[in-house]
Amino acid sequence: MIAEEMVEVEKIRLEVKSRCEGKLAMLFVGGSRAHHYQELFTEIGMKTISAGYEFAHRDDYEGRKVIPSIVVDADTRNIEELTVGPDATRYRPRRTETEITRLGNTGVGFGDYAGMMPEMEENTL
């Protein structure tokens, strides 16, 4: 079924790409969708020259590696600190810690988001 449907999808993708290839994109969106839209734009031949998030934090732009260096102080805090944990009766993880470790050892990256900026080309914002 998927192979059958992909024929039409590919036809439309190529038609859209023919109209978009070589054009520039600039986007500012909510959540972390800017990064994902850039991947889509690249797939249809567009270059993103500027992108941003409405409610981003440093790790959205610079990746998870900066989290340990973020200092929470009066200038950077705009919401109270929250401590969140799993509900003992309702939380059912999809993967056990053993499965996550095994997948990590095979190259599946959990929690190693590099951020949007490292993937952007030089002279883009």
Side-chain angles (χ1 to χ4, degrees):
M1 180 69 175
I2 292 172
E4 186 179 307
E5 293 291 325
M6 286 305 294
V7 172
E8 184 65 19
V9 169
E10 182 63 11
K11 177 181 155 192
I12 293 169
R13 186 187 73 80
L14 291 173
E15 189 272 324
V16 168
K17 185 174 181 176
S18 72
R19 289 184 288 136
C20 296
E21 197 153 24
K23 293 189 177 177
L24 302 177
M26 176 179 150
L27 61 144
F28 291 90
V29 297
S32 60
R33 293 181 296 271
H35 197 177
H36 304 294
Y37 280 118
Q38 285 184 75
E39 294 170 5
L40 294 170
F41 289 161
T42 299
E43 190 176 319
I44 59 173
M46 296 178 76
K47 177 182 178 181
T48 301
I49 58 169
S50 183
Y53 307 116
E54 183 178 7
F55 299 110
H57 300 110
R58 277 188 59 202
D59 57 305
D60 293 312
Y61 290 103
E62 300 172 63
R64 296 187 59 78
K65 70 182 182 306
V66 301
I67 291 175
S69 69
I70 295 174
V71 177
V72 178
D73 58 24
D75 292 329
T76 59
R77 177 180 293 182
N78 59 6
I79 60 170
E80 64 185 77
E81 292 288 320
L82 301 175
T83 302
V84 180
D87 182 293
T89 59
R90 296 183 179 138
Y91 177 67
R92 292 187 312 256
R94 294 181 181 173
R95 301 268 188 240
T96 65
E97 290 299 322
T98 303
E99 289 175 308
I100 291 171
T101 300
R102 181 183 58 76
L103 288 167
N105 291 336
T106 64
V108 176
F110 290 99
D112 60 352
Y113 175 64
M116 182 173 70
M117 289 167 50
E119 293 187 11
M120 293 187 73
E121 292 183 27
E122 192 171 332
N123 298 319
T124 62
L125 173 66

